[in-house]
Amino acid sequence: MSVWEYLYNGFLVALQWQNLIYAFVGVLIGTAVGVLPGIGPMSGVALLIPVTSTLTAGSSAEEAAASAIILLAGVYYGAMYGGSTTSILLNTPGESSSVVTTLDGYQMARQGRAGAALSIAAIGSFVAGIVSLVALVFLAEPLSNLALKFGPAEYFSLMVLGLCAVSGLAGHSMTKALIMTVFGLLLGTIGVDNVSGVARFTFDSPVLYQGLEFLTIAVGLFALGEVFKAILEKEKNEGTIAKVGKIYPSKQDLKQSAAPIARGSLLGFFIGVLPGAGATLASFFSYMMEKRISRHPEKFGKGAIEGVAAPESANNAASGGAMIPMLTLGIPGSGTTAILMGALIMYNVQPGPLLFDEHPQVAWGLIASMFIGNLMLLILNMPLVKIFAKIIDTPSKYLLPIIIAISFFGVYAVQVNTFDLFLLIVCGLMGYLLAKNDFPLAPLVLGLVLGPMIENNMRRALTATGGDWSIFVTHPISLLFLVIAACWILIPLILKWRGKKVLVNEEG
């Protein structure tokens, strides 16, 4: 079948009444998650994984997986839309990729142009979402066909590249990111080994024979971690919320924003495709590019609408771009796509080159639903901007008990095991302590998801060659991936070392 036939079949799945409801609920919750400072898309998606398993109970395995991923993906790109609201109105980013939006968005709000800034952010997000989806439609099949030619050695090296890419760009310290990656890989080894049948790190406890459940770890680290942070640090939203006046932008605003939106969409998409680069990097690059090519760079930081249009377009395009390596290669491009990948694996759907052949209903249903979801977001965000702005005022005493209840009931409903509830609390405390000390959580999740797959592919490669490790460097594609992985880690270290050396010489 052609791409158009696959996409048509995807729309047949996405337009089923229950999936339309899931898409709408997903983008609505996602927008709210983006608006609430501190929660972020990773926490929102992790929190709703157990909810999807109860909502889709009774459906066939394929239908349940399609509905669940449609809802979770809606939360993901909905949060990217919503993150701009607090950045513009409160000068507080809803999530990390909206940090750049505060520079000009809040200044526009102080000048009485909050409505125009929010509308341009919504329009830019919509255009960027469509651009990245069109690219996903046409790139998904060729990339899957290319990946089908990979052997276990190539897959092992590709997954190592994925880990190095995220570790190299996560947090302020590469050392801490690498520590978290290794910790995630170690957690992935707990349980009975599938090949030898040997129990590893179980301490003779039958409850650990199946290994640690991804769902419990993800919900604990992200959702419950934010709860502990809010309670222990007594977080409050301080600052004056700017008033939203006229909602729709003027013709001049649209004219000034058109080119930055187009450039931000393209740049964001290509950065998003790179494993580990993520939406935050895309928004920073996009902002810097606009400032560099602008005829009036002095306007930036003082309420330039281009400074809102470009980064908001870039971070939404990057979120769409990050879906490509996750769906076609089985390599999550960001922490949130790692959680989405873990959710698919929970439903016995393995992301990767065979996804589009074995589970076309899930893959193309998701892509089609993202077109529908982006349209829903534009319709929701433009007229309801003032309503979403009021979500910022939600008191913690109402919000935190809801998050705790969903976390506990959700994990117990899926696992039906009290051990997982204790593990959930431990992971929540660990999530808070690690984040407080600037240990990034995304590499841990990625290590946990990719660890078993890295091990399986390494074993398959070594079994085929009788234990000859040279297979990983004698296969050209495998060697290329390993060289890129090494460069991803070493180049920032070399640049940092050279920078320090130059500084010492100047001081000397």
Side-chain angles (χ1 to χ4, degrees):
M1 287 198 291
S2 69
V3 169
W4 300 110
E5 288 173 302
Y6 280 121
L7 191 59
Y8 172 73
N9 291 334
F11 273 106
L12 292 180
V13 173
L15 289 170
Q16 291 173 9
W17 67 269
Q18 71 272 23
N19 288 338
L20 284 172
I21 293 171
Y22 287 135
F24 179 75
V25 170
V27 297
L28 189 65
I29 292 173
T31 305
V33 162
V35 166
L36 291 165
I39 295 182
M42 280 198 283
S43 305
V45 173
L47 187 63
L48 283 173
I49 293 174
V51 176
T52 60
S53 60
T54 52
L55 286 174
T56 57
S59 306
S60 70
E62 196 83 355
E63 287 174 351
S67 298
I69 198 66
I70 283 170
L71 189 146
L72 294 174
V75 176
Y76 175 32
Y77 53 86
M80 291 298 179
Y81 265 68
S84 61
T85 305
T86 43
S87 297
I88 292 166
L89 297 181
L90 200 60
N91 203 26
T92 306
E95 23 85 30
S96 59
S97 60
S98 294
V99 170
V100 189
T101 310
T102 60
L103 300 176
D104 285 278
Y106 186 62
Q107 294 300 320
M108 286 183 69
R110 289 180 66 186
Q111 295 163 16
R113 298 169 64 208
L118 288 165
S119 296
I120 286 297
I123 293 166
S125 298
F126 172 74
V127 172
I130 297 301
V131 167
S132 63
L133 281 169
V134 169
L136 175 58
V137 166
F138 289 104
L139 287 177
E141 201 70 18
L143 272 175
S144 296
N145 293 334
L146 175 67
L148 281 171
K149 297 173 183 174
F150 290 1
E154 285 80 8
Y155 265 111
F156 168 81
S157 302
L158 180 64
M159 288 171 187
V160 169
L161 169 59
L163 285 177
C164 289
V166 171
S167 301
L169 293 166
H172 300 294
S173 167
M174 187 186 291
T175 307
K176 289 180 177 179
L178 288 170
I179 289 169
M180 296 304 285
T181 305
V182 173
F183 188 40
L185 290 170
L186 289 173
L187 290 178
T189 62
I190 295 172
V192 175
D193 179 26
N194 291 331
V195 178
S196 64
V198 174
R200 302 185 297 190
F201 308 111
T202 58
F203 306 101
D204 296 324
S205 174
V207 78
L208 289 173
Y209 287 167
Q210 295 275 326
L212 297 181
E213 183 59 43
F214 164 80
L215 167 68
T216 310
I217 303 285
V219 174
L221 285 175
F222 294 104
L224 219 57
E226 289 297 336
V227 169
F228 280 115
K229 182 182 178 184
I231 293 170
L232 295 173
E233 297 184 4
K234 294 184 173 59
E235 283 189 340
K236 289 183 180 178
N237 294 333
E238 296 178 359
T240 309
I241 300 173
K243 290 183 179 179
V244 182
K246 181 187 171 188
I247 293 173
Y248 298 103
S250 65
K251 285 184 179 179
Q252 182 64 20
D253 289 334
L254 290 170
K255 187 180 177 182
Q256 288 177 333
S257 304
I261 286 172
R263 286 190 289 264
S265 300
L266 292 170
L267 180 68
F269 171 75
F270 287 112
I271 291 175
V273 170
L274 296 172
T280 306
L281 201 66
S283 60
F284 271 98
F285 276 176
S286 180
Y287 186 86
M288 288 188 292
M289 183 177 76
E290 287 304 319
K291 189 173 181 180
R292 186 172 291 272
I293 65 175
S294 174
R295 292 178 182 176
H296 303 284
E298 69 281 356
K299 290 193 306 179
F300 284 78
K302 298 176 183 175
I305 200 158
E306 299 95 323
V308 174
E312 278 301 307
S313 303
N315 79 39
N316 277 272
S319 66
M323 299 291 277
I324 288 183
M326 191 271 279
L327 292 174
T328 60
L329 303 175
I331 302 294
S334 64
T336 315
T337 49
I339 294 172
L340 287 173
M341 182 170 164
L344 279 172
I345 293 169
M346 267 182 59
Y347 283 95
N348 295 317
V349 174
Q350 179 63 58
L354 294 175
L355 174 67
F356 288 84
D357 288 332
E358 294 178 352
H359 304 283
Q361 183 178 345
V362 176
W364 289 102
L366 167 63
I367 292 170
S369 76
M370 289 171 76
F371 279 103
I372 297 166
N374 268 283
L375 188 60
M376 287 178 175
L377 278 166
L378 186 66
I379 295 167
L380 272 173
N381 276 265
M382 292 291 278
L384 301 180
V385 157
K386 292 183 180 180
I387 294 171
F388 283 121
K390 293 186 185 298
I391 295 175
I392 301 169
D393 290 329
T394 305
S396 296
K397 63 181 180 179
Y398 300 127
L399 187 65
L400 296 184
I402 294 170
I403 294 174
I404 293 169
I406 293 172
S407 299
F408 276 82
F409 289 130
V411 166
Y412 189 76
V414 174
Q415 297 304 115
V416 197
N417 189 336
T418 51
F419 168 78
D420 280 274
L421 297 181
F422 290 111
L423 180 62
L424 182 71
I425 296 169
V426 171
C427 287
L429 281 168
M430 287 294 292
Y432 162 66
L433 292 171
L434 289 168
K436 183 179 172 66
N437 291 286
D438 197 34
F439 282 89
L441 300 178
L444 187 153
V445 173
L446 201 62
L448 182 64
V449 171
L450 292 183
M453 288 186 276
I454 287 177
E455 185 182 9
N456 289 339
N457 282 295
M458 184 181 74
R459 278 182 163 171
R460 285 172 57 208
L462 292 175
T463 303
T465 59
D468 185 1
W469 288 85
S470 66
I471 184 173
F472 298 112
V473 291
T474 52
H475 285 212
I477 296 175
S478 174
L479 177 62
L480 177 66
F481 288 149
L482 289 175
V483 169
I484 296 170
C487 290
W488 215 296
I489 295 293
L490 292 174
I491 287 173
L493 291 175
I494 293 166
L495 291 173
K496 191 176 181 182
W497 175 74
R498 283 186 66 185
K500 283 183 179 177
K501 197 173 178 182
V502 169
L503 194 65
V504 168
N505 290 338
E506 286 177 353
E507 287 175 353

Short mmCIF file of all heavy atoms in Angstrom, two decimals, residues 298-350:
data_model
loop_
_atom_site.label_atom_id
_atom_site.label_comp_id
_atom_site.label_asym_id
_atom_site.label_seq_id
_atom_site.Cartn_x
_atom_site.Cartn_y
_atom_site.Cartn_z
N GLU A 298 18.02 44.49 18.68
CA GLU A 298 17.85 45.18 19.97
C GLU A 298 16.42 45.02 20.52
O GLU A 298 16.18 45.22 21.71
CB GLU A 298 18.21 46.67 19.84
CG GLU A 298 17.27 47.53 19.01
CD GLU A 298 17.47 47.40 17.50
OE1 GLU A 298 18.41 46.69 17.08
OE2 GLU A 298 16.69 48.01 16.76
N LYS A 299 15.45 44.66 19.64
CA LYS A 299 14.05 44.47 20.08
C LYS A 299 13.89 43.22 20.95
O LYS A 299 12.98 43.14 21.76
CB LYS A 299 13.13 44.32 18.86
CG LYS A 299 12.93 45.57 18.05
CD LYS A 299 11.76 45.39 17.08
CE LYS A 299 11.92 44.15 16.21
NZ LYS A 299 10.78 43.94 15.29
N PHE A 300 14.77 42.24 20.73
CA PHE A 300 14.64 40.96 21.44
C PHE A 300 14.91 41.15 22.93
O PHE A 300 15.87 41.81 23.33
CB PHE A 300 15.58 39.91 20.84
CG PHE A 300 15.09 39.36 19.53
CD1 PHE A 300 15.24 40.09 18.35
CD2 PHE A 300 14.44 38.14 19.47
CE1 PHE A 300 14.79 39.61 17.14
CE2 PHE A 300 13.98 37.64 18.26
CZ PHE A 300 14.14 38.38 17.10
N GLY A 301 14.03 40.57 23.73
CA GLY A 301 14.12 40.73 25.18
C GLY A 301 13.29 41.90 25.68
O GLY A 301 13.16 42.13 26.88
N LYS A 302 12.69 42.66 24.70
CA LYS A 302 11.87 43.83 25.07
C LYS A 302 10.44 43.71 24.57
O LYS A 302 9.71 44.69 24.53
CB LYS A 302 12.51 45.10 24.51
CG LYS A 302 13.90 45.38 25.08
CD LYS A 302 14.53 46.60 24.43
CE LYS A 302 15.95 46.83 24.96
NZ LYS A 302 16.63 47.94 24.27
N GLY A 303 10.06 42.50 24.13
CA GLY A 303 8.68 42.29 23.67
C GLY A 303 8.57 42.08 22.18
O GLY A 303 7.55 42.45 21.58
N ALA A 304 9.59 41.48 21.55
CA ALA A 304 9.52 41.18 20.11
C ALA A 304 8.66 39.95 19.88
O ALA A 304 8.90 38.90 20.50
CB ALA A 304 10.93 40.94 19.56
N ILE A 305 7.66 40.07 19.02
CA ILE A 305 6.75 38.94 18.80
C ILE A 305 7.48 37.77 18.12
O ILE A 305 7.12 36.61 18.30
CB ILE A 305 5.51 39.38 17.99
CG1 ILE A 305 4.38 38.37 18.19
CG2 ILE A 305 5.86 39.57 16.49
CD1 ILE A 305 3.01 38.90 17.93
N GLU A 306 8.56 38.08 17.37
CA GLU A 306 9.37 37.01 16.75
C GLU A 306 10.01 36.13 17.83
O GLU A 306 10.24 34.95 17.62
CB GLU A 306 10.48 37.61 15.88
CG GLU A 306 9.97 38.45 14.71
CD GLU A 306 9.92 39.93 15.05
OE1 GLU A 306 9.58 40.26 16.20
OE2 GLU A 306 10.21 40.75 14.16
N GLY A 307 10.30 36.74 19.00
CA GLY A 307 10.90 36.00 20.11
C GLY A 307 9.94 35.05 20.80
O GLY A 307 10.35 34.23 21.63
N VAL A 308 8.65 35.16 20.48
CA VAL A 308 7.65 34.20 20.97
C VAL A 308 7.34 33.18 19.87
O VAL A 308 7.29 31.97 20.13
CB VAL A 308 6.35 34.93 21.39
CG1 VAL A 308 5.25 33.93 21.76
CG2 VAL A 308 6.62 35.87 22.55
N ALA A 309 7.17 33.67 18.65
CA ALA A 309 6.77 32.80 17.53
C ALA A 309 7.80 31.72 17.23
O ALA A 309 7.45 30.54 17.09
CB ALA A 309 6.55 33.66 16.27
N ALA A 310 9.08 32.09 17.16
CA ALA A 310 10.12 31.13 16.75
C ALA A 310 10.34 30.01 17.77
O ALA A 310 10.25 28.82 17.41
CB ALA A 310 11.43 31.87 16.48
N PRO A 311 10.61 30.31 19.07
CA PRO A 311 10.84 29.21 20.01
C PRO A 311 9.63 28.33 20.25
O PRO A 311 9.76 27.11 20.42
CB PRO A 311 11.27 29.92 21.30
CG PRO A 311 10.87 31.33 21.15
CD PRO A 311 10.85 31.62 19.70
N GLU A 312 8.42 28.92 20.25
CA GLU A 312 7.22 28.11 20.46
C GLU A 312 6.98 27.15 19.29
O GLU A 312 6.55 26.02 19.47
CB GLU A 312 5.98 29.00 20.67
CG GLU A 312 5.86 29.52 22.08
CD GLU A 312 5.76 28.41 23.12
OE1 GLU A 312 4.92 27.52 22.99
OE2 GLU A 312 6.57 28.43 24.07
N SER A 313 7.26 27.64 18.06
CA SER A 313 7.15 26.77 16.88
C SER A 313 8.19 25.66 16.96
O SER A 313 7.90 24.49 16.69
CB SER A 313 7.36 27.57 15.59
OG SER A 313 6.44 28.63 15.51
N ALA A 314 9.42 26.03 17.34
CA ALA A 314 10.52 25.07 17.38
C ALA A 314 10.28 23.97 18.40
O ALA A 314 10.51 22.79 18.10
CB ALA A 314 11.84 25.79 17.70
N ASN A 315 9.76 24.31 19.59
CA ASN A 315 9.61 23.25 20.60
C ASN A 315 8.49 22.28 20.24
O ASN A 315 8.57 21.10 20.55
CB ASN A 315 9.51 23.82 22.03
CG ASN A 315 8.16 24.38 22.40
OD1 ASN A 315 7.11 23.86 22.07
ND2 ASN A 315 8.20 25.49 23.14
N ASN A 316 7.46 22.77 19.54
CA ASN A 316 6.39 21.86 19.11
C ASN A 316 6.83 21.00 17.93
O ASN A 316 6.47 19.82 17.85
CB ASN A 316 5.13 22.65 18.75
CG ASN A 316 4.30 22.98 19.97
OD1 ASN A 316 3.47 22.21 20.39
ND2 ASN A 316 4.60 24.12 20.58
N ALA A 317 7.60 21.58 17.01
CA ALA A 317 8.12 20.79 15.89
C ALA A 317 9.08 19.72 16.40
O ALA A 317 9.10 18.60 15.89
CB ALA A 317 8.84 21.71 14.89
N ALA A 318 9.87 20.06 17.42
CA ALA A 318 10.82 19.10 17.99
C ALA A 318 10.10 17.93 18.65
O ALA A 318 10.55 16.78 18.57
CB ALA A 318 11.72 19.79 19.01
N SER A 319 8.95 18.20 19.29
CA SER A 319 8.20 17.11 19.93
C SER A 319 7.66 16.14 18.88
O SER A 319 7.61 14.93 19.11
CB SER A 319 7.06 17.67 20.79
OG SER A 319 6.08 18.31 20.00
N GLY A 320 7.28 16.67 17.69
CA GLY A 320 6.84 15.80 16.60
C GLY A 320 8.02 15.05 16.01
O GLY A 320 7.93 13.85 15.70
N GLY A 321 9.16 15.76 15.85
CA GLY A 321 10.36 15.13 15.30
C GLY A 321 10.87 14.00 16.18
O GLY A 321 11.38 12.99 15.68
N ALA A 322 10.74 14.15 17.51
CA ALA A 322 11.23 13.13 18.45
C ALA A 322 10.45 11.82 18.34
O ALA A 322 10.94 10.77 18.78
CB ALA A 322 11.13 13.66 19.88
N MET A 323 9.24 11.88 17.75
CA MET A 323 8.45 10.66 17.57
C MET A 323 9.04 9.75 16.49
O MET A 323 8.82 8.54 16.48
CB MET A 323 7.01 11.01 17.18
CG MET A 323 6.26 11.83 18.20
SD MET A 323 5.89 10.94 19.71
CE MET A 323 4.42 10.08 19.22
N ILE A 324 9.82 10.35 15.54
CA ILE A 324 10.33 9.56 14.41
C ILE A 324 11.30 8.48 14.85
O ILE A 324 11.08 7.30 14.56
CB ILE A 324 10.96 10.49 13.34
CG1 ILE A 324 9.84 11.24 12.61
CG2 ILE A 324 11.79 9.71 12.33
CD1 ILE A 324 10.28 12.13 11.50
N PRO A 325 12.40 8.81 15.59
CA PRO A 325 13.29 7.72 16.01
C PRO A 325 12.61 6.73 16.95
O PRO A 325 12.94 5.54 16.93
CB PRO A 325 14.45 8.45 16.70
CG PRO A 325 13.96 9.82 17.01
CD PRO A 325 12.91 10.13 15.99
N MET A 326 11.65 7.22 17.77
CA MET A 326 10.96 6.31 18.69
C MET A 326 10.12 5.28 17.95
O MET A 326 10.17 4.08 18.22
CB MET A 326 10.10 7.13 19.65
CG MET A 326 9.53 6.31 20.82
SD MET A 326 7.92 5.54 20.49
CE MET A 326 6.83 6.92 20.76
N LEU A 327 9.34 5.74 16.95
CA LEU A 327 8.44 4.85 16.23
C LEU A 327 9.18 3.97 15.22
O LEU A 327 8.87 2.78 15.08
CB LEU A 327 7.36 5.66 15.50
CG LEU A 327 6.33 6.39 16.38
CD1 LEU A 327 5.43 7.26 15.52
CD2 LEU A 327 5.49 5.40 17.18
N THR A 328 10.15 4.53 14.50
CA THR A 328 10.76 3.80 13.39
C THR A 328 11.99 2.99 13.78
O THR A 328 12.26 1.94 13.20
CB THR A 328 11.16 4.77 12.26
OG1 THR A 328 12.10 5.72 12.77
CG2 THR A 328 9.96 5.49 11.70
N LEU A 329 12.74 3.48 14.79
CA LEU A 329 13.98 2.79 15.18
C LEU A 329 13.91 2.17 16.57
O LEU A 329 14.78 1.39 16.94
CB LEU A 329 15.17 3.77 15.12
CG LEU A 329 15.42 4.48 13.79
CD1 LEU A 329 16.53 5.50 13.94
CD2 LEU A 329 15.79 3.46 12.71
N GLY A 330 12.88 2.55 17.34
CA GLY A 330 12.80 2.06 18.72
C GLY A 330 13.78 2.78 19.63
O GLY A 330 14.17 2.25 20.67
N ILE A 331 14.20 4.00 19.25
CA ILE A 331 15.14 4.80 20.06
C ILE A 331 14.41 6.08 20.49
O ILE A 331 14.14 6.94 19.65
CB ILE A 331 16.40 5.19 19.25
CG1 ILE A 331 17.12 3.95 18.75
CG2 ILE A 331 17.34 6.05 20.10
CD1 ILE A 331 17.71 3.08 19.83
N PRO A 332 14.08 6.24 21.77
CA PRO A 332 13.39 7.45 22.21
C PRO A 332 14.26 8.68 22.03
O PRO A 332 15.44 8.66 22.35
CB PRO A 332 13.12 7.19 23.70
CG PRO A 332 13.31 5.73 23.89
CD PRO A 332 14.32 5.30 22.87
N GLY A 333 13.69 9.73 21.48
CA GLY A 333 14.45 10.97 21.24
C GLY A 333 14.47 11.89 22.43
O GLY A 333 15.21 12.86 22.45
N SER A 334 13.65 11.60 23.46
CA SER A 334 13.58 12.46 24.64
C SER A 334 13.05 11.64 25.82
O SER A 334 12.64 10.48 25.66
CB SER A 334 12.63 13.64 24.38
OG SER A 334 11.31 13.16 24.17
N GLY A 335 13.05 12.26 27.01
CA GLY A 335 12.54 11.56 28.18
C GLY A 335 11.07 11.20 28.05
O GLY A 335 10.64 10.10 28.44
N THR A 336 10.28 12.11 27.48
CA THR A 336 8.84 11.85 27.33
C THR A 336 8.58 10.73 26.32
O THR A 336 7.72 9.88 26.55
CB THR A 336 8.09 13.13 26.89
OG1 THR A 336 8.54 14.22 27.67
CG2 THR A 336 6.59 12.97 27.06
N THR A 337 9.33 10.70 25.21
CA THR A 337 9.14 9.62 24.24
C THR A 337 9.64 8.29 24.81
O THR A 337 9.15 7.23 24.41
CB THR A 337 9.83 9.92 22.89
OG1 THR A 337 11.18 10.33 23.12
CG2 THR A 337 9.10 10.99 22.11
N ALA A 338 10.58 8.34 25.77
CA ALA A 338 11.00 7.10 26.45
C ALA A 338 9.84 6.54 27.27
O ALA A 338 9.60 5.32 27.30
CB ALA A 338 12.20 7.37 27.35
N ILE A 339 9.08 7.44 27.91
CA ILE A 339 7.91 7.01 28.69
C ILE A 339 6.82 6.49 27.75
O ILE A 339 6.18 5.47 28.03
CB ILE A 339 7.39 8.16 29.57
CG1 ILE A 339 8.44 8.49 30.64
CG2 ILE A 339 6.07 7.80 30.23
CD1 ILE A 339 8.15 9.73 31.45
N LEU A 340 6.61 7.17 26.62
CA LEU A 340 5.63 6.69 25.61
C LEU A 340 6.03 5.32 25.09
O LEU A 340 5.19 4.44 24.90
CB LEU A 340 5.54 7.68 24.45
CG LEU A 340 4.82 9.01 24.70
CD1 LEU A 340 4.98 9.93 23.51
CD2 LEU A 340 3.33 8.78 24.98
N MET A 341 7.34 5.12 24.85
CA MET A 341 7.82 3.83 24.37
C MET A 341 7.58 2.74 25.41
O MET A 341 7.15 1.63 25.08
CB MET A 341 9.31 3.94 24.05
CG MET A 341 9.91 2.65 23.50
SD MET A 341 11.58 2.95 22.87
CE MET A 341 12.17 1.27 22.77
N GLY A 342 7.84 3.08 26.68
CA GLY A 342 7.57 2.12 27.76
C GLY A 342 6.10 1.74 27.83
O GLY A 342 5.75 0.58 28.08
N ALA A 343 5.21 2.73 27.58
CA ALA A 343 3.77 2.46 27.59
C ALA A 343 3.39 1.52 26.45
O ALA A 343 2.59 0.58 26.64
CB ALA A 343 3.00 3.78 27.46
N LEU A 344 3.96 1.72 25.26
CA LEU A 344 3.68 0.82 24.13
C LEU A 344 4.14 -0.60 24.43
O LEU A 344 3.43 -1.58 24.14
CB LEU A 344 4.38 1.33 22.87
CG LEU A 344 3.69 2.47 22.11
CD1 LEU A 344 4.59 3.01 21.01
CD2 LEU A 344 2.36 2.01 21.51
N ILE A 345 5.34 -0.73 25.03
CA ILE A 345 5.86 -2.06 25.37
C ILE A 345 4.94 -2.74 26.38
O ILE A 345 4.74 -3.95 26.34
CB ILE A 345 7.31 -1.95 25.89
CG1 ILE A 345 8.24 -1.49 24.76
CG2 ILE A 345 7.81 -3.28 26.45
CD1 ILE A 345 9.63 -1.10 25.19
N MET A 346 4.36 -1.93 27.31
CA MET A 346 3.39 -2.49 28.27
C MET A 346 2.21 -3.14 27.57
O MET A 346 1.63 -4.11 28.06
CB MET A 346 2.86 -1.36 29.17
CG MET A 346 3.61 -1.16 30.45
SD MET A 346 2.83 0.14 31.42
CE MET A 346 1.17 -0.48 31.65
N TYR A 347 1.83 -2.58 26.41
CA TYR A 347 0.71 -3.11 25.64
C TYR A 347 1.18 -4.14 24.59
O TYR A 347 0.45 -4.45 23.64
CB TYR A 347 -0.04 -1.97 24.94
CG TYR A 347 -0.93 -1.18 25.87
CD1 TYR A 347 -0.48 0.00 26.47
CD2 TYR A 347 -2.22 -1.62 26.17
CE1 TYR A 347 -1.29 0.71 27.33
CE2 TYR A 347 -3.03 -0.91 27.04
CZ TYR A 347 -2.56 0.26 27.61
OH TYR A 347 -3.38 0.97 28.47
N ASN A 348 2.40 -4.68 24.80
CA ASN A 348 2.99 -5.69 23.89
C ASN A 348 3.13 -5.19 22.46
O ASN A 348 2.97 -5.95 21.50
CB ASN A 348 2.16 -6.99 23.91
CG ASN A 348 2.20 -7.66 25.26
OD1 ASN A 348 3.27 -7.74 25.87
ND2 ASN A 348 1.06 -8.12 25.74
N VAL A 349 3.36 -3.89 22.31
CA VAL A 349 3.64 -3.29 21.00
C VAL A 349 5.07 -2.79 21.03
O VAL A 349 5.39 -1.89 21.80
CB VAL A 349 2.67 -2.13 20.70
CG1 VAL A 349 3.05 -1.43 19.40
CG2 VAL A 349 1.23 -2.63 20.62
N GLN A 350 5.95 -3.40 20.25
CA GLN A 350 7.37 -3.04 20.25
C GLN A 350 7.66 -1.97 19.20
O GLN A 350 7.58 -2.23 18.00
CB GLN A 350 8.22 -4.29 19.96
CG GLN A 350 9.72 -4.04 19.90
CD GLN A 350 10.28 -3.56 21.22
OE1 GLN A 350 10.16 -4.23 22.24
NE2 GLN A 350 10.90 -2.39 21.23
#
